[in-house]
Amino acid sequence: MTTQEKNVQPNEFRRPEDIEKESFRIIRQGLTARKLKLPEEELPVTMRVIHTTADFEYAKTLYYSDGAVKKLRELLEKGTRVVTDTNMAKAGINAKKIEELGGEMLCFMSEPDVEQEAKERDITRAMVSMEKAAMLQGDTIFVVGNAPTALLRLRDLILEGYKPAFIVGVPVGFVNVVYAKEEILQEAEERKIPYIINIGRKGGSNVAAAIINAAMYSSSEQKE
Amino acid sequence: MTTQEKNVQPNEFRRPEDIEKESFRIIRQGLTARKLKLPEEELPVTMRVIHTTADFEYAKTLYYSDGAVKKLRELLEKGTRVVTDTNMAKAGINAKKIEELGGEMLCFMSEPDVEQEAKERDITRAMVSMEKAAMLQGDTIFVVGNAPTALLRLRDLILEGYKPAFIVGVPVGFVNVVYAKEEILQEAEERKIPYIINIGRKGGSNVAAAIINAAMYSSSEQKE
């Protein structure tokens, strides 16, 4: 059976590679139907986010710095460290692939000293986590899928002179979120820090993981 | 500072409990503005899903069996086992709370024998995982946030006589997904299996986790 066959019963797609291939065909069709023409370079990432959310709105709200996908792929291929703001985002990233590339994933959110310090300073654990990540030697890719306060703290760290290697800024929510993303977008643009940011309220740990995964995978799935 | 204060700067909401309270106030307002009147019992769950996705569409697409939230809460409070179809959904569920209630969370997706068997039978790992879960003694809450094939296999298991304690059916995607959810909805209704299912393409591991978390938390956050 091939994915090209017509009139197949829905549950005849049982092989993961067939399901994925057919999904991307439908997404591509959906983008065309909605007259959403995306830059070729961004397509694999945006399509994977749509694949993860079934939400075509991301085709309009994902913002990329110039050459962002190429840059992110290069960083990941060099084994650059990835710091996430949630264990859920970390769990969603293809750990096997990260390992193959010689990279590592970190999330400080559940560490007892982070919780302790957040409580003492009456700020979020996400903020303390970002500070901790910024103190590490060498390059760090920041992946924020949940906490806008993480992005706001990262912005402040940037204002104090810190330079992240890359920012994936896709927190979700109703408080601080739109503001935090606009703020970090502006700072990143100004200081030439590469980024992928989803403006507006939407995003999430799943979206964050999808962006990292898409950058790691070859784009062969989109070129049939 | 209270969340009732007007004209606060966005980044003045720094305490998690203030952020959450304000978020739920905005969501409640958003539901009212959209003239979406939900049953009181379902409100805490639907609101938490919207909180997780920033997507009000869920207020229209989440389907609950009669008394579903009460039933799910009771099961969780008894420490009923939770089986998820992804490690990401598992990572998103409040593990501390599950533990406090004497429950356990399982996900078979990354187990080597599951991968092996899926390869041999040329089916998805999610299908094998569901079979494995159905063989466990005692009650199981099934939480499917990703793989429609998991739901389809679960439906077949039900047809063969198995009875899940509860089904959270919120896979996301473009192939099999709508069909799988309609199928499981029909079987669950017919056989009086309690469920929360999101019809349509949308869903995800984050949505799945949000549903379980909402059922565990007190509903105090919505009653101000």
Side-chain angles (χ1 to χ4, degrees), chain A residues 111-129:
Chain A
E111 295 193 354
D113 62 322
V114 168
E115 190 167 350
Q116 183 60 29
E117 189 176 336
K119 202 173 272 177
E120 276 166 26
R121 293 167 59 194
D122 200 17
I123 59 174
T124 68
R125 286 180 297 152
M127 294 171 85
V128 180
S129 296

Side-chain angles (χ1 to χ4, degrees), chain A residues 10-11 13-15 22-23 26-27 50 52-54 88 122 124 127 152 172 174-176 179 201 206, chain B residues 10-11 13-15 22-23 26-27 50 52-54 88 122 124 127 152 172 174-176 179 201 206:
Chain A
N11 56 353
F13 288 106
R14 295 201 161 193
R15 297 170 62 197
E22 175 66 4
S23 297
I26 295 170
I27 294 168
I50 295 171
T52 294
T53 56
M88 206 181 171
D122 200 17
T124 68
M127 294 171 85
L152 291 171
V172 57
F174 296 88
V175 175
N176 291 351
Y179 171 77
R201 283 174 170 172
N206 53 338
Chain B
N11 57 353
F13 288 105
R14 297 203 158 191
R15 298 170 61 198
E22 175 66 4
S23 297
I26 295 169
I27 294 167
I50 295 170
T52 293
T53 57
M88 206 181 172
D122 200 17
T124 68
M127 294 171 85
L152 290 172
V172 58
F174 297 88
V175 176
N176 292 352
Y179 171 76
R201 283 174 169 170
N206 53 339

Side-chain angles (χ1 to χ4, degrees), chain A residues 55 57-58 61-62 144-148 169-182 197-207, chain B residues 22-31 33-34 49-57 206:
Chain A
D55 191 341
E57 199 181 305
Y58 285 99
T61 52
L62 276 169
V144 178
N146 186 60
V170 295
V172 57
F174 296 88
V175 175
N176 291 351
V177 170
V178 174
Y179 171 77
K181 290 192 267 196
E182 300 282 353
I197 291 169
N198 191 62
I199 57 155
R201 283 174 170 172
K202 287 185 182 173
S205 299
N206 53 338
V207 173
Chain B
E22 175 66 4
S23 297
F24 277 95
R25 192 190 62 75
I26 295 169
I27 294 167
R28 192 176 272 276
Q29 218 169 46
L31 288 171
R34 288 168 180 79
V49 169
I50 295 170
H51 180 254
T52 293
T53 57
D55 190 342
F56 282 95
E57 200 182 307
N206 53 339

Side-chain angles (χ1 to χ4, degrees), chain A:
Chain A
M1 183 182 65
T2 76
T3 56
Q4 308 308 319
E5 272 186 76
K6 296 293 162 196
N7 304 321
V8 292
Q9 288 304 305
N11 56 353
E12 287 187 44
F13 288 106
R14 295 201 161 193
R15 297 170 62 197
E17 55 273 29
D18 290 342
I19 295 170
E20 182 154 307
K21 203 172 165 194
E22 175 66 4
S23 297
F24 278 95
R25 192 189 63 73
I26 295 170
I27 294 168
R28 192 177 273 275
Q29 218 170 43
L31 288 170
T32 305
R34 288 169 178 78
K35 301 193 177 17
L36 294 164
K37 183 104 187 77
L38 303 174
E40 200 58 38
E41 194 221 23
E42 299 167 10
L43 207 49
V45 176
T46 301
M47 283 176 74
R48 191 158 285 275
V49 170
I50 295 171
H51 180 253
T52 294
T53 56
D55 191 341
F56 282 95
E57 199 181 305
Y58 285 99
K60 295 181 195 165
T61 52
L62 276 169
Y63 278 43
Y64 296 80
S65 59
D66 291 341
V69 178
K70 187 165 171 279
K71 181 70 189 169
L72 181 55
R73 186 175 289 136
E74 281 168 10
L75 286 166
L76 290 164
E77 281 173 356
K78 292 201 288 202
T80 308
R81 170 199 311 130
V82 174
V83 173
T84 65
D85 70 330
T86 59
N87 281 306
M88 206 181 171
K90 194 176 154 203
I93 297 171
N94 188 331
K96 214 165 146 185
K97 190 87 191 168
I98 288 276
E99 213 171 281
E100 275 170 27
L101 298 170
E104 66 169 336
M105 285 192 286
L106 300 171
C107 176
F108 300 119
M109 286 294 282
S110 308
E111 295 193 354
D113 62 322
V114 168
E115 190 167 350
Q116 183 60 29
E117 189 176 336
K119 202 173 272 177
E120 276 166 26
R121 293 167 59 194
D122 200 17
I123 59 174
T124 68
R125 286 180 297 152
M127 294 171 85
V128 180
S129 296
M130 292 300 108
E131 293 172 8
K132 210 167 162 170
M135 282 179 353
L136 298 170
Q137 292 290 314
D139 283 349
T140 300
I141 299 167
F142 285 77
V143 179
V144 178
N146 186 60
T149 53
L151 279 191
L152 291 171
R153 189 67 193 103
L154 191 56
R155 175 207 56 188
D156 292 345
L157 289 162
I158 293 168
L159 291 173
E160 292 162 21
Y162 178 71
K163 193 165 182 185
F166 200 99
I167 301 171
V168 175
V170 295
V172 57
F174 296 88
V175 175
N176 291 351
V177 170
V178 174
Y179 171 77
K181 290 192 267 196
E182 300 282 353
E183 284 284 303
I184 202 83
L185 186 67
Q186 191 186 317
E187 279 315 314
E189 266 297 325
E190 205 150 306
R191 286 153 201 266
K192 307 275 178 231
I193 299 163
Y195 62 81
I196 300 176
I197 291 169
N198 191 62
I199 57 155
R201 283 174 170 172
K202 287 185 182 173
S205 299
N206 53 338
V207 173
I211 289 170
I212 297 295
N213 288 336
M216 285 194 295
Y217 300 154
S218 79
S219 54
S220 59
E221 66 215 0
Q222 282 80 43
K223 285 168 192 157
E224 286 158 37

Side-chain angles (χ1 to χ4, degrees), chain B residues 36 61 181:
Chain B
L36 294 164
T61 53
K181 289 192 268 195

Side-chain angles (χ1 to χ4, degrees), chain B residues 45-96:
Chain B
V45 176
T46 301
M47 283 176 74
R48 190 158 286 276
V49 169
I50 295 170
H51 180 254
T52 293
T53 57
D55 190 342
F56 282 95
E57 200 182 307
Y58 284 99
K60 295 180 193 165
T61 53
L62 277 169
Y63 278 43
Y64 296 78
S65 59
D66 290 340
V69 178
K70 188 165 170 279
K71 180 70 189 170
L72 181 55
R73 185 175 290 135
E74 281 169 8
L75 286 166
L76 290 163
E77 281 173 356
K78 290 203 288 204
T80 308
R81 168 201 310 131
V82 175
V83 173
T84 65
D85 70 330
T86 58
N87 281 305
M88 206 181 172
K90 195 177 153 200
I93 296 171
N94 188 332
K96 213 163 145 187

Side-chain angles (χ1 to χ4, degrees), chain B:
Chain B
M1 183 182 64
T2 77
T3 57
Q4 308 308 320
E5 272 185 76
K6 295 293 163 195
N7 304 321
V8 293
Q9 289 302 305
N11 57 353
E12 288 186 45
F13 288 105
R14 297 203 158 191
R15 298 170 61 198
E17 55 273 30
D18 290 342
I19 295 170
E20 182 154 308
K21 202 171 166 193
E22 175 66 4
S23 297
F24 277 95
R25 192 190 62 75
I26 295 169
I27 294 167
R28 192 176 272 276
Q29 218 169 46
L31 288 171
T32 305
R34 288 168 180 79
K35 302 194 179 10
L36 294 164
K37 184 104 186 77
L38 302 174
E40 200 58 39
E41 193 222 24
E42 299 167 11
L43 207 49
V45 176
T46 301
M47 283 176 74
R48 190 158 286 276
V49 169
I50 295 170
H51 180 254
T52 293
T53 57
D55 190 342
F56 282 95
E57 200 182 307
Y58 284 99
K60 295 180 193 165
T61 53
L62 277 169
Y63 278 43
Y64 296 78
S65 59
D66 290 340
V69 178
K70 188 165 170 279
K71 180 70 189 170
L72 181 55
R73 185 175 290 135
E74 281 169 8
L75 286 166
L76 290 163
E77 281 173 356
K78 290 203 288 204
T80 308
R81 168 201 310 131
V82 175
V83 173
T84 65
D85 70 330
T86 58
N87 281 305
M88 206 181 172
K90 195 177 153 200
I93 296 171
N94 188 332
K96 213 163 145 187
K97 190 85 191 167
I98 288 276
E99 213 171 284
E100 276 171 24
L101 297 170
E104 65 170 336
M105 284 194 287
L106 299 170
C107 175
F108 300 118
M109 287 294 282
S110 308
E111 295 194 353
D113 62 323
V114 168
E115 190 166 352
Q116 183 60 28
E117 189 176 336
K119 203 174 270 177
E120 277 166 23
R121 293 167 58 192
D122 200 17
I123 58 173
T124 68
R125 286 181 296 152
M127 294 171 85
V128 181
S129 297
M130 292 300 109
E131 293 173 8
K132 212 168 159 169
M135 281 178 353
L136 298 170
Q137 291 291 316
D139 283 350
T140 300
I141 300 166
F142 285 77
V143 179
V144 177
N146 186 59
T149 54
L151 278 191
L152 290 172
R153 189 67 194 101
L154 192 56
R155 176 208 56 188
D156 292 347
L157 289 163
I158 292 168
L159 291 173
E160 292 163 19
Y162 178 70
K163 193 165 181 183
F166 199 99
I167 302 170
V168 174
V170 296
V172 58
F174 297 88
V175 176
N176 292 352
V177 171
V178 174
Y179 171 76
K181 289 192 268 195
E182 300 282 354
E183 284 285 302
I184 202 83
L185 187 66
Q186 192 186 314
E187 280 315 314
E189 266 295 328
E190 205 151 305
R191 285 154 202 268
K192 308 276 178 228
I193 299 163
Y195 63 81
I196 300 175
I197 292 169
N198 191 61
I199 57 156
R201 283 174 169 170
K202 288 184 181 173
S205 299
N206 53 339
V207 173
I211 290 170
I212 298 295
N213 288 336
M216 286 193 296
Y217 299 155
S218 80
S219 55
S220 60
E221 66 215 2
Q222 281 82 40
K223 288 170 189 157
E224 284 154 40

